[in-house]
Amino acid sequence: MFKPVHPVKSSLREFNRVNASENFPEMEKKWLKHWYEKGINKKYREKNKNSKKYFSFLDGPITANNPMGVHHAWGRTYKDLWPRFYNLLGYKQRFQNGFDCQGLWVEVEVEKELGLHSKKDIENLIPGDTKASIAKFVQLCKDRVLKFSKIQTEQSKRLGYFADWDHSYFTMSDENNYMIWKFLKKCYEYGWIYKGHESVPWCPRCETAISQHEMLTEDYKELVHQSVYFKLPIIGRENENLLVWTTTPWTIPANIAVAIEATFDYSLVQGNANQKFWVAKELVKMVFKENYKILKTVKGSDLVGLKYTAPFDNLPKVKEVADKNSEKFHIVFATDKNILPITTTEGTGMVHTAVSAGVEDFKMGKKLGLPMIPVIEDNADYMSGLGFLSGKNAKKHPEIILDYLKKDWAFAVVAYKHRYPACWRCKTELVWKVEDEWYIAMDRSPLRSQKSKVKSQKLNTKTLRERMIKVAKKIKWMPEFGLDRELDWLKNMHDWLISKKNRYWGLALPIYECSKCHNFEVIGSKEELKKRTVSGWEEFEGHSPHKPFIDEVKIKCQKCGESISRTNDVGNPWLDAGIVPYSTISKDNHSQPLYIENKEEWKKWFPVDLITESFPGQFKNWFYAMIAESTVLENEPPFKRVLGFGTQLGEDGRPMHKSWGNAIEFSEGADKIGVDVMRWMFTRHNPADNMLFGYKKADEVRRQFYLMLWNTYKFFVEYANLDKFIVGKKNFCSLQNSKNVLDKWILSRFASTALSVEKNLKEFSAKDAALEIEKFVSDLSTWFIRRSRDRVWVNSENVEDKNNFYETLYYILVNLSIIISPFIPFVAEEIYTNLTGKESVNLENWPLINEKLKMKNEKLEGEMNTARKIVEAGQAERKLTGVKVRIPLSNLSVKSEIAANLTVSDEVWDVVLKELNIKNITINNDFHYPKKEVKVTEKQLQKEGRLRELIREIQSQRKLKGLKTDEKINLTIPKEFESETESIGKRVLAKNIRFGDKVEVQ
Ligand SMILES: [Zn+2]
Ligand SMILES: [Zn+2]
């Protein structure tokens, strides 16, 4: 019988049995519990605390407003992968996660929870007490953030994400808010902050401006609105009308003028009922279809200066403006292409211009000095002074305008489908309205700072836009198109609208404007505010810098001495996330920012090495805000590299939606799929492409990779235990002493894989690294193990070879578990701890390259590659001729594209013969192996085949009867195998062998 490799010692340690049908989500939970109970997470974070090498990763804050979806897990897997990798490599890190807290997204959810519908409701939360109501509302927003940050923290832990969970940063923190003040103060000193009076996109439900940054393509909806063609009778020309088309009829009361393109031809068309209409010539047919007559055609410039009457001229507010501006009211003007281009693809070539209700309209009005008629309140109700319209909602009731027009003014009302912007938060359709808002100028040269005393110091006269473009170019964008996208935005964006009117939960913009002399100032810190306070500090003291308490503080106007208040507005929420490279880096993740306390130390972490976020939206948002704030504060890129990734879709290719049944909540996904498999799906995916995600895809990955890895590990543990293998003290040099070509080959493959994974991860390509690992695991399972089955347990008596096999596979599995731990930490931990008996794979170091280089044998890898291709060709040949692999052949002749490579060594050729179950091989009729033909008789071959069949039959019966691998059996076999009794007995573990007609296992 087989003797153990090593004498049994007291140190002999059996590996824990490996379950073939392991419940992986349960296994993951077991490790989670262990990691947090035994402080593994903490030991992991402290492993390199004295290292001189720094890896600075900055987490883009997740909005703490809802539980995580599986799409969040994609980015968070990257956010864990590289810190884990650099931890193995011995780098010191901060491991800080962040939560985004302030802004509309939270307010809207709290409003929903409380059933509030408007600003009035919020301010009356505690009836009759506005201040207390706001205080309560703000507190509820804070509470919501804390609630969901806790949930997201638990979910992130479940994902296997190792971070300093007790010290995540929150953008609502004092440090974060005051750091934004510092930034705004600097903008102010440069002269870049101004109050603009502009037409802005506006959400009538949230009653606040929506900045250009917040209008993402995904927030445009395909909508059908009633568009209207309406006539404007020309004064002094009988029966002649301008024919104008608009898709926003609610703005018609605000009409001031009609724009035409001076270079176009316009025709006067005879309609029915004696009415004549001016329309761009090219559009006549489109508008009138048939039965029309062109009376005359002139250049657009000939129409300039005409005046007209309009449908709402009788309303008091309209009359008032008309009376005050008779020169510039209801006139035809020639457009400026750069502001308001007119096309002949739709409409009439005559454009309704409502100066108060459109961005281009407003700009045109400004250029021409046109008056305007504000028509809607903050909630889109028509203002007073608009007669029958007043108090009715312009967006909710478009019919009031249409019904009125239909009486006498409408030429046609046509349903029109177009892409229309909606509020990114509450999805309400936007309107346009003219408001005073605060902006950061993109195109102003900086004022000479009052502080710059050194006269010789060269002043950087570049504008913020120019500086930001320069800074953006210093960043490594992955994928590369990221830079173009960012530059496209930087080159075309308007000034940054940073204020939000009528909102409560957000940055208190530190802008103090004097109501008397209109001078304004920006305060740059809490200390400065305290120094400047003339009243209200006691009421504020002890509170965070939020509404309503911050607004108790009054300061003195530096110009006129008036006591002045903070502007009522809160800040754009992207200011909050944009400042985090400055506000969150501290010595222990919870002290004061190093940027203020110790700038030298801060510079060790700044610019950060890596950020990684989903691309859509971030060019206008987080990336933009960080670049803007960092450019102002230090004129430096805030990050060296950004790894962007696409959007996650359902596996049906559609966006994930609850109502479509293809959305997966994170916790549900984790319990059904297991997070290792999920993480593997994310890391093996090309981040530049959108990802299809769902349970079917998860099953594929589990089968094709994860289970293959698991079964390899299981094979090792099962047979090593049976063979009573003891982990030796072999180092890698002695590993290479194995004479078995398979051992040499797989060690070389492992070395190549480890090197390649390291290289790819250092280049931030998780996908290439993951695919290398997949290839290796496949080689390990489908070639190394497959070809080594005869080397283990009862199949072989070659003790040395057996031991070499275990030593090799042991070395590989232990080191593989380290390499895969950043990707799939749970199964890595399971394998590592079971095989080594050590505490945790998370406390390991990356396998050393030098040792691996010695194992690398490119020539052998090449030979084995050739061999495997020949095997493939051989198997194809067998398939073609219908001769199964278990039937031995004396010679197999194959055709292969590969010219028989004579440099392939004999030992590799032997592997080919065994795999193909042949004695001789001939390739392309000119290569023979072995050179001297091995002669076998037909009888011998047949017997070999039958013997193989017999063993197969016995093993399958063992399996059917559910016998353990080491359980002995009573066996009945046909008499013809009498001479093989002993070897059969050993291989199938029989204690008794009898002869009979049928094979029987008992
Ligand atoms: Zn809204
Ligand atoms: Zn003043």
Side-chain angles (χ1 to χ4, degrees), residues 204 379-382 389 391-398 400:
N379 64 358
D381 279 354
Y382 282 111
L389 298 175
K392 302 205 171 89
N393 195 276
K395 273 309 278 184
K396 288 180 191 151
H397 300 292
I400 47 173

Side-chain angles (χ1 to χ4, degrees), residues 104 108 203-207 210 423-428 430:
L104 261 184
V108 169
C203 173
R205 198 217 69 92
C206 300
E207 298 191 32
I210 300 299
C423 171
W424 62 286
R425 209 52 237 164
C426 74
K427 308 299 172 200
T428 302
L430 301 185

Side-chain angles (χ1 to χ4, degrees), residues 23-26 28-29 32 68-70 73 154-155 157-160 664-678 693 695 702 826:
N23 181 333
F24 293 109
E26 286 308 312
E28 291 168 355
K29 286 179 186 164
L32 273 181
M68 273 163 57
V70 276
E154 288 312 308
Q155 291 182 312
K157 287 181 181 175
R158 175 69 185 86
L159 180 66
I664 301 175
E665 302 225 335
F666 171 77
S667 300
E668 183 200 324
D671 282 349
K672 283 195 184 161
I673 297 170
V675 293
D676 266 348
V677 170
M678 230 191 239
F693 188 93
Y695 293 118
R702 184 183 301 106
F826 293 95

Side-chain angles (χ1 to χ4, degrees), residues 179 260 308-309 313 406 432 452 531 595 695 850 872 894:
M179 194 66 85
I260 53 92
Y308 58 87
T309 53
D313 287 353
K406 278 176 194 163
W432 277 261
S452 94
K531 237 183 264 166
Y595 184 62
Y695 293 118
N850 288 343
E872 253 172 50
V894 298

Side-chain angles (χ1 to χ4, degrees), residues 811-833:
Y811 165 80
I812 281 173
L813 286 173
V814 169
N815 285 283
L816 181 63
S817 72
I818 298 169
I819 285 171
I820 60 175
S821 67
F823 299 83
I824 38 178
F826 293 95
V827 72
E829 185 77 322
E830 180 79 24
I831 295 174
Y832 177 87
T833 51

Side-chain angles (χ1 to χ4, degrees), residues 122-358:
I122 295 171
E123 296 193 350
N124 209 27
L125 207 50
I126 294 171
D129 190 337
T130 309
K131 187 183 159 192
S133 297
I134 296 174
K136 186 174 175 192
F137 185 71
V138 165
Q139 187 57 46
L140 289 170
C141 290
K142 281 187 192 173
D143 293 347
R144 183 177 174 91
V145 165
L146 292 175
K147 175 181 163 190
F148 285 101
S149 66
K150 277 206 186 82
I151 294 172
Q152 290 174 344
T153 296
E154 288 312 308
Q155 291 182 312
S156 302
K157 287 181 181 175
R158 175 69 185 86
L159 180 66
Y161 186 175
F162 266 12
D164 186 5
W165 294 113
D166 294 336
H167 304 112
S168 295
Y169 72 78
F170 290 78
T171 60
M172 64 187 176
S173 72
D174 289 13
E175 290 80 14
N176 209 63
N177 281 303
Y178 289 127
M179 194 66 85
I180 304 171
W181 284 24
K182 190 178 171 73
F183 155 76
L184 291 171
K185 172 91 183 188
K186 198 146 181 205
C187 291
Y188 167 70
E189 285 169 352
Y190 280 148
W192 289 345
I193 290 194
Y194 72 94
K195 184 160 134 181
H197 184 68
E198 304 270 341
S199 173
V200 291
W202 186 271
C203 173
R205 198 217 69 92
C206 300
E207 298 191 32
T208 202
I210 300 299
S211 80
Q212 196 193 4
H213 300 67
E214 294 164 315
M215 290 173 67
L216 305 178
T217 25
E218 52 266 38
D219 292 325
Y220 279 73
K221 295 194 278 192
E222 286 268 317
L223 291 175
V224 176
H225 285 124
Q226 296 298 320
S227 73
V228 60
Y229 292 84
F230 61 104
K231 60 179 189 185
L232 297 171
I234 298 172
I235 295 173
R237 293 203 187 175
E238 209 176 327
N239 294 333
E240 276 188 34
N241 299 279
L242 307 170
L243 190 60
V244 176
W245 176 68
T246 180
T247 57
T248 53
W250 69 266
T251 64
I252 296 176
N255 177 275
I256 294 294
V258 168
I260 53 92
E261 170 55 56
T263 58
F264 287 177
D265 288 331
Y266 285 83
S267 299
L268 185 64
V269 180
Q270 177 73 59
N272 45 15
N274 203 27
Q275 291 288 322
K276 298 172 232 169
F277 304 95
W278 285 100
V279 176
K281 189 177 173 215
E282 276 193 48
L283 288 161
V284 170
K285 193 165 169 44
M286 204 192 281
V287 175
F288 293 91
K289 310 281 185 301
E290 48 206 28
N291 297 331
Y292 60 84
K293 200 169 123 202
I294 292 181
L295 301 173
K296 64 175 166 181
T297 297
V298 301
K299 279 280 172 223
S301 49
D302 293 338
L303 301 176
V304 170
L306 289 175
K307 299 193 87 182
Y308 58 87
T309 53
F312 299 99
D313 287 353
N314 289 327
L315 302 182
K317 218 172 153 76
V318 178
K319 245 191 201 145
E320 195 186 310
V321 174
D323 292 346
K324 276 192 201 151
N325 305 277
S326 56
E327 288 292 300
K328 291 182 167 174
F329 190 73
H330 287 180
I331 54 163
V332 175
F333 71 94
T335 196
D336 175 340
K337 278 194 202 58
N338 297 320
I339 298 174
L340 197 168
I342 297 176
T343 66
T344 51
T345 50
E346 58 187 0
T348 63
M350 306 204 137
V351 178
H352 156 59
T353 306
V355 178
S356 69

